[in-house]
Amino acid sequence: MSAVTAAPKTNAAFNVERVTHVHHWTDQLFTFRTTRSPALRFQSGQFVMIGLQVEDKPLVRAYSIASPHYAEELEFYSIKVAGGPLTSRLQNIQVGDEVLVGRKPTGTLVLDALLPGRTLYLLSTGTGLAPFLSLTRDPEVYDRFERVVVTHTCRAEADLGYREMLETLHAHPELGEFVGERLSYYPTITRGAFRTQGRITELIESGKMSADLDLPPLDPSNDRIMVCGGPPMLADLRTLLDARGFAEGSIAEPGAYVYEKAFAG
């Protein structure tokens, strides 16, 4: 007799999914995957509200979906906050536990919000890398751009989650033919010794990033940029990009750069 998998429970705003995998990168960072309702549709780069049922009420916050739009499961990349109302609980989830997943994905980090261009820069700090994990595994990204650059800035080398995956995506058995040599992964840290040190704004302004990647300085006529990270990083990069002539885009009016407003503070 074959096993029968129960369909996910639902309510008006959330699907109830089950945790299928948990990986703790450090004592402050973890990844988890859940089942995915067949009814959920999203674009790579979007986010949903996720969380837990606490005292008969949903306790949720916005999380970018780290898995690509075609994946059978949903993947999320999270920090651990000891006193955080949600993350203090979420960090203890185990395989088989139930998680609430919003039924209406949204967000600004989508390809249709950008004008056509040559090089796509995905600039992130911390768990702001999550939407770019989705986008770098989406073949459409490589159809639209000749070169894709992912920058990930963290405090310490140990915080560079997904480093191995991004360094080897060109050899992926299914995605390798799309990625080829077009994806460049550019990790940097702000504390400790590492091959590249400093905040991404400093590395852009000094010209070091362009030199390291053998690319010309950022140019709004050819380059398209997505930004996701903490409020200070978002504010600094927006100032930098505005000064260089990059126009912010949206689905209604595509432009040269977009940033995730849900995490802008």
Side-chain angles (χ1 to χ4, degrees):
M1 183 176 179
S2 61
V4 177
T5 302
K9 294 178 287 184
T10 62
N11 63 26
F14 302 96
N15 292 319
V16 180
E17 305 291 357
R18 289 202 176 272
V19 176
T20 61
H21 172 84
V22 180
H23 175 72
H24 294 270
W25 301 92
T26 69
D27 60 359
Q28 294 183 319
L29 297 165
F30 70 108
T31 287
F32 63 98
R33 292 198 295 268
T34 75
T35 53
R36 174 181 176 177
S37 167
L40 183 70
R41 296 288 183 269
F42 68 93
Q43 297 180 59
S44 297
Q46 289 187 314
F47 69 87
V48 289
M49 303 303 293
I50 71 165
L52 301 169
Q53 195 78 8
V54 178
E55 298 178 355
D56 296 326
K57 295 180 181 180
L59 177 63
V60 299
R61 59 162 287 186
Y63 270 76
S64 292
I65 304 172
S67 45
H69 68 85
Y70 55 79
E72 294 183 358
E73 297 183 328
L74 300 173
E75 187 170 339
F76 301 96
Y77 186 31
S78 180
I79 59 172
K80 304 176 187 181
V81 180
L86 176 59
T87 57
S88 62
R89 295 177 169 90
L90 198 60
Q91 65 185 291
N92 297 316
I93 58 171
Q94 299 179 7
V95 171
D97 288 350
E98 293 184 343
V99 175
L100 302 176
V101 177
R103 302 173 72 180
K104 295 183 178 181
T106 188
T108 52
L109 300 178
V110 293
L111 293 175
D112 289 344
L114 294 175
L115 294 166
R118 185 176 302 162
T119 301
L120 174 64
Y121 287 88
L122 307 174
L123 310 180
S124 68
T125 58
T127 54
L129 178 68
F132 304 149
L133 296 170
S134 177
L135 285 156
T136 53
R137 290 182 279 183
D138 188 338
E140 186 179 354
V141 170
Y142 303 97
D143 287 339
R144 294 203 189 190
F145 295 94
E146 297 175 13
R147 186 94 178 257
V148 179
V149 175
V150 181
T151 78
H152 189 203
T153 303
C154 297
R155 288 185 179 181
E157 184 176 355
D159 299 329
L160 295 170
Y162 292 90
R163 178 180 173 184
E164 182 178 357
M165 187 206 84
L166 290 167
E167 289 178 337
T168 61
L169 201 57
H170 66 280
H172 189 280
E174 297 173 358
L175 296 173
E177 64 177 299
F178 301 102
V179 178
E181 299 302 316
R182 288 184 285 175
L183 175 65
S184 296
Y185 169 58
Y186 192 68
T188 75
I189 67 170
T190 58
R191 298 180 183 178
F194 190 64
R195 64 176 182 264
T196 308
Q197 297 172 288
R199 301 182 185 281
I200 195 62
T201 45
E202 299 167 353
L203 296 166
I204 291 172
E205 290 176 328
S206 69
K208 180 172 173 53
M209 182 189 77
S210 297
D212 288 345
L213 296 168
D214 194 25
L215 285 168
L218 294 181
D219 181 349
S221 63
N222 295 315
D223 299 326
R224 301 295 171 255
I225 299 174
M226 292 184 175
V227 185
C228 192
M233 173 262 205
L234 291 174
D236 289 347
L237 276 173
R238 289 186 65 201
T239 298
L240 184 155
L241 294 173
D242 290 344
R244 294 192 177 208
F246 283 80
E248 183 183 345
S250 66
I251 293 292
E253 188 173 350
Y257 84 94
V258 289
Y259 71 99
E260 187 46 76
K261 296 177 173 64
F263 313 115

